Amino acid sequence: MGDRNAERRPAGELEAGVLAALWAADGPLSPGQVQEIVGGSLARTTVTTILSRLYEKGTVTRSRSGRGFAYTPTEDASGLTARRMHAELAKDDREAVLSRFVSQLSTEDERLLRALLDTEGDAT
């Protein structure tokens, strides 16, 4: 028997590949179209499972297309990252997490964050 775990991809790699295909597309894609774009040895059923999981998480929407569905991302990569950051903040001590995050920013990122906060403050 071979070691199946040696062939496994890191967690999230398949979702990331599927989302990258959707983000690059001009419109909704079917699982078959996503499979063609992602390439490799992914079975169509695997792609369909990944898309279904992303739909359940609210990361993609779907619309009827023939007998199946076509999928569209709900937000771009930056929006998804921001949503994940908010979810992580909700899990723990917000002040501690934000403090640690800010303390590890580069000087340039700190300047950018300050500028963004100043701009947001002026907009209200």
Side-chain angles (χ1 to χ4, degrees):
M1 242 197 249
D3 182 8
R4 291 175 52 96
N5 288 334
E7 298 174 20
R8 293 190 67 109
R9 292 178 174 91
E13 183 179 310
L14 293 176
E15 284 187 3
V18 167
L19 282 169
L22 291 172
W23 286 324
D26 290 332
L29 296 177
S30 69
Q33 291 169 314
V34 172
Q35 179 191 24
E36 287 177 22
I37 294 168
V38 172
S41 59
L42 285 183
R44 186 166 179 260
T45 54
T46 301
V47 173
T48 301
T49 298
I50 294 165
L51 287 165
S52 295
R53 289 180 180 162
L54 290 170
Y55 175 75
E56 290 168 7
K57 293 178 183 179
T59 307
V60 300
T61 60
R62 67 184 183 192
S63 56
R64 196 46 92 173
S65 177
R67 295 185 336 187
F69 292 102
Y71 295 84
T72 306
T74 57
E75 52 201 341
D76 62 10
S78 297
L80 180 59
T81 300
R83 183 161 44 120
R84 287 177 176 162
M85 290 170 65
H86 281 284
E88 289 301 316
L89 284 172
K91 292 180 187 177
D92 214 340
D93 177 359
R94 291 178 82 83
E95 185 175 345
V97 172
L98 285 170
S99 176
R100 179 79 47 93
F101 176 78
V102 169
S103 71
Q104 295 175 358
L105 289 174
S106 68
T107 303
E108 184 58 34
D109 285 343
E110 185 178 341
R111 271 192 225 117
L112 177 58
L113 182 57
R114 285 184 190 282
L116 290 169
L117 289 171
D118 288 345
T119 302
E120 287 298 314
D122 293 342
T124 56

